[in-house]
């Protein structure tokens, strides 16, 4: 491995880490609770959802890096995928609230694991589908 390759790994990893931090911060803006505050309180449901969403985004980022020669293209694909997953989550949550009164966000905030797993699984399933498309 050459020095250029090692520096490339550092740059791509650093850029990916920054993107993941930004995406998770943006995600926190769209929840009706503060992720980090709930995690500090020991809310396992919020932590579970957060980790599943982070893993989903990391998987998409890894696939976009694998299939791209351009760092900016890989980051852009990951950001667009984040928006797609956020829209899917919002639509499914809206439909579940309207049809059955099931509020996944409120259940997660109340430290209920089932809604957190449901929401997180939407992101993981979506990430696998998006990753297959890359």
């Amino acid at each position: 491995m050459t020095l250029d390759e090692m520096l490339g790994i550092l740059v791509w990893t650093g850029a990916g880490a920054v993107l993941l931090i930004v995406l998770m911060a943006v995600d926190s803006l769209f929840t009706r609770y503060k992720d980090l505050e709930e995690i500090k309180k020991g809310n396992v449901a919020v932590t579970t959802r957060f980790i599943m969403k982070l893993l989903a985004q990391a998987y998409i980022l890894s696939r976009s890096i694998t299939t791209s020669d351009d760092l900016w293209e890989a980051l852009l694909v990951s950001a667009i995928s984040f928006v797609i997953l956020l829209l899917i989550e919002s639509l499914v949550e809206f439909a579940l609230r309207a049809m059955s009164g099931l509020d996944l966000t409120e259940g997660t905030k109340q430290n209920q694991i089932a809604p957190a797993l449901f929401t997180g699984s939407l992101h993981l399933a979506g990430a696998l589908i998006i990753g297959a498309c890359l």
Side-chain angles (χ1 to χ4, degrees):
M1 181 173 284
T2 68
L3 179 59
D4 281 348
E5 291 171 328
M6 288 188 284
L7 290 174
I9 290 170
L10 180 63
V11 169
W12 283 70
T13 302
V18 168
L19 178 66
L20 289 174
I21 290 168
V22 168
L23 293 179
M24 296 312 293
V26 169
D27 178 71
S28 290
L29 297 175
F30 286 93
T31 58
R32 295 189 308 250
Y33 52 83
K34 304 288 185 220
D35 285 318
L36 294 180
E37 287 179 23
E38 292 296 322
I39 291 169
K40 284 180 191 176
K41 291 179 191 176
N43 187 323
V44 176
V46 170
T47 305
T48 300
R49 174 193 169 273
F50 188 90
I51 290 170
M52 292 175 78
K53 291 181 85 166
L54 180 62
L55 288 173
Q57 283 307 133
Y59 177 74
I60 290 171
L61 180 60
S62 75
R63 292 291 304 144
S64 65
I65 288 171
T66 299
T67 59
S68 178
D69 291 329
D70 181 61
L71 174 61
W72 296 111
E73 177 186 56
L75 297 176
L76 180 62
V77 166
S78 294
I80 291 169
S81 298
F82 169 79
V83 171
I84 292 169
L85 292 178
L86 194 61
L87 288 172
I88 290 170
E89 177 186 5
S90 297
L91 290 172
V92 169
E93 285 201 28
F94 175 78
L96 287 173
R97 264 193 318 274
M99 291 186 310
S100 66
L102 178 60
D103 189 336
L104 296 175
T105 300
E106 189 58 34
T108 301
K109 182 181 178 183
Q110 293 176 3
N111 206 11
Q112 297 172 0
I113 298 298
L117 289 173
F118 191 110
T119 304
S121 70
L122 293 173
H123 284 266
L124 290 176
L128 290 171
I129 293 166
I130 290 169
C133 295
L134 300 178

